């Protein structure tokens, strides 16, 4: 499956957002407003003004819903979870060009909150993945001590680690050492 710019960006944003959650085995990645502002800047989320404590709380709620989509037992459970989120989200598709990016679709309403923006744009990207029968691309890292999520964009759907340089390398070295000891 080929992903367009906006879908790649939204999927990467949802992965990065979910991986800020303590539910993925690490520390809280969004402990305060400075970290939320840094996330917005790093992910180039447009049209967001100053963030508030309310934004932080709402984003954390949306983040946990997205985590449940990634960790759903099966596609119907992921669909139910995502549908519940999308039904509470104002979705107003419009074509935009900004910040040097080619023409693409934004799904959030122009006056949406940060949480609504993320729920709409990232939620629709996940919905497209599910509609295309690609739910198996939503994965959790196979490393035993890592619960980070990722989207497997490989052609043959063979990616198993959130990052080949960290978890993948660590697991390959461990397997090599185990074979050497045997």
């Amino acid at each position: 499956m080929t992903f367009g710019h906006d879908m790649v960006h939204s999927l990467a944003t949802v992965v990065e957002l979910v991986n800020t959650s303590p539910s993925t085995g690490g520390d809280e990645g969004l402990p305060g407003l400075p970290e939320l502002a840094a996330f917005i800047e790093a992910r180039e989320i447009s049209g967001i003004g100053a963030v508030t404590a309310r934004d932080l709380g709402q984003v954390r709620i949306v983040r946990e819903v997205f985590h449940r989509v990634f960790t759903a037992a099966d596609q119907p459970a992921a669909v139910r979870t995502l549908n519940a989120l999308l039904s509470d989200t104002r979705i107003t598709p419009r074509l935009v060009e900004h910040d040097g990016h080619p023409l693409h679709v934004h799904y959030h309403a122009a006056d949406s909150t940060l949480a609504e923006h993320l729920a709409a744009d990232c939620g629709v990207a996940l919905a497209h993945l599910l509609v295309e029968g690609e739910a198996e691309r939503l994965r959790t890292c196979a490393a035993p001590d890592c619960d980070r999520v990722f989207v497997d964009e490989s052609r043959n759907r063979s990616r198993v680690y959130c990052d080949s340089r960290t978890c993948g390398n660590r697991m390959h070295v461990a397997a090599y050492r185990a074979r050497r000891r045997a």
Side-chain angles (χ1 to χ4, degrees):
M1 174 175 203
T2 304
F3 302 118
H5 156 75
D6 52 340
M7 184 148 170
V8 168
H9 185 265
S10 293
L11 290 173
T13 299
V14 74
V15 164
E16 190 169 323
L17 177 64
V18 170
N19 286 333
T20 67
S21 173
S23 299
T24 60
D27 294 331
E28 172 61 68
L30 296 174
L33 296 179
E35 292 80 12
L36 182 57
F39 175 81
I40 292 167
E41 184 178 338
R43 294 305 315 150
E44 298 178 342
I45 300 172
S46 61
I48 302 297
V51 292
T52 66
R54 180 180 171 146
D55 289 319
L56 180 60
Q58 290 174 339
V59 166
R60 286 176 177 167
I61 290 167
V62 168
R63 172 184 72 182
E64 295 312 313
V65 174
F66 285 143
H67 186 251
R68 289 195 306 272
V69 171
F70 274 86
T71 58
D74 53 26
Q75 182 167 332
V79 168
R80 282 190 304 276
T81 302
L82 193 54
N83 273 340
L85 175 68
L86 292 174
S87 70
D88 290 336
T89 304
R90 294 181 302 145
I91 296 179
T92 309
R94 65 189 185 288
L95 297 169
V96 296
E97 285 182 290
H98 61 86
D99 300 324
H101 297 294
L103 188 64
H104 59 281
V105 181
H106 278 191
Y107 293 96
H108 64 279
D111 63 341
S112 65
T113 66
L114 174 59
E116 289 174 322
H117 181 129
L118 292 169
D121 286 357
C122 296
V124 168
L126 289 171
H128 281 293
L129 216 69
L130 296 175
V131 165
E132 293 297 324
E134 301 285 355
E136 73 276 358
R137 290 186 182 275
L138 303 177
R139 305 243 173 108
T140 302
C141 186
D145 58 342
C146 182
D147 291 320
R148 293 174 58 89
V149 301
F150 64 95
V151 176
D152 181 1
E153 295 180 44
S154 67
R155 279 188 183 173
N156 61 359
R157 298 171 183 84
S158 61
R159 185 172 160 199
V160 294
Y161 301 114
C162 64
D163 186 351
S164 62
R165 292 178 307 253
T166 56
C167 290
N169 190 46
R170 189 169 30 93
M171 296 308 297
H172 287 88
V173 167
Y176 171 79
R177 289 180 179 159
R179 283 192 307 273
R180 298 283 292 169
R181 282 192 302 266

